[in-house]
Amino acid sequence: MRVYVPLTLPGLAEAYKTGELGEGPFLAYAVTPALREWYLSDDIEELEYAALSRAALASLRLLAADAGAPRRRVVVAVDVSDDRASTDPDRGLDPAALGEVRVAGTVRLAKAAAVHVDAADAEADVTAAADALPAADGGDDDAQFVVDGAEDHELLWYATQEIPNLVG
């Protein structure tokens, strides 16, 4: 199963240093039954893009909690066995938990398929979105518009061999 792990650039640097994405269980996003039902598509590429987008939003939440992190969303795509990623049955119908999975055990960064990171020109919009996130969560439509502005920026694809350049 392909899972998308939300990080920040400091989180990616730590994963690069230790060689591990984290010790489970940790949060990731994947094509879950609830995500399939919500997205109403059978196209696996569209579904994986939806899971990646959910992980990008989770990365934005990590940025909102870490004022010192560079304002670029980071998502690591990694393949894990199906039995290592599980959904929370109590959150299955929660819109905020769509695509959310918990990954058990340690995942080696060497198993990553790719890294997705915002381009430098997204930083202003990502900064504004991270700042607006609490108000958007509170139902402020104007703040939600700002948060959605970060989604206008496509995450760039990087091979895992390029991680040293991203964190250096």
Side-chain angles (χ1 to χ4, degrees), residues 20-168:
E20 298 175 350
L21 281 171
E23 294 184 18
F26 60 87
L27 178 71
Y29 291 81
V31 178
T32 62
L35 184 73
R36 283 181 187 274
E37 186 176 320
W38 170 76
Y39 199 74
L40 297 174
S41 175
D42 290 330
D43 185 323
I44 191 63
E45 287 183 15
E46 288 180 14
L47 291 165
E48 286 184 350
Y49 183 79
L52 172 66
S53 296
R54 302 292 295 170
L57 178 59
S59 176
L60 184 66
R61 291 188 181 287
L62 294 173
L63 291 173
D66 182 359
R71 304 332 246 174
R72 295 168 75 184
R73 298 168 298 166
V74 177
V75 176
V76 177
V78 63
D79 294 317
V80 298
S81 60
D82 289 353
D83 63 336
R84 295 202 40 212
S86 61
T87 59
D88 182 344
D90 294 333
R91 294 191 52 157
L93 299 176
D94 181 354
L98 286 172
E100 192 176 280
V101 295
R102 295 280 171 194
V103 178
T106 301
V107 175
R108 306 277 311 147
L109 185 60
K111 297 281 187 181
V115 179
H116 303 270
V117 181
D118 274 312
D121 68 354
E123 287 185 16
D125 288 338
V126 171
T127 298
D131 292 344
L133 200 52
D137 287 346
D140 184 322
D141 289 338
D142 291 335
Q144 185 62 52
F145 182 78
V146 173
V147 170
D148 292 344
E151 293 177 15
D152 291 341
H153 296 276
E154 295 286 332
L155 296 178
L156 302 178
W157 181 95
Y158 292 91
T160 55
Q161 298 86 338
E162 296 177 274
I163 292 173
N165 298 331
L166 292 168
V167 299

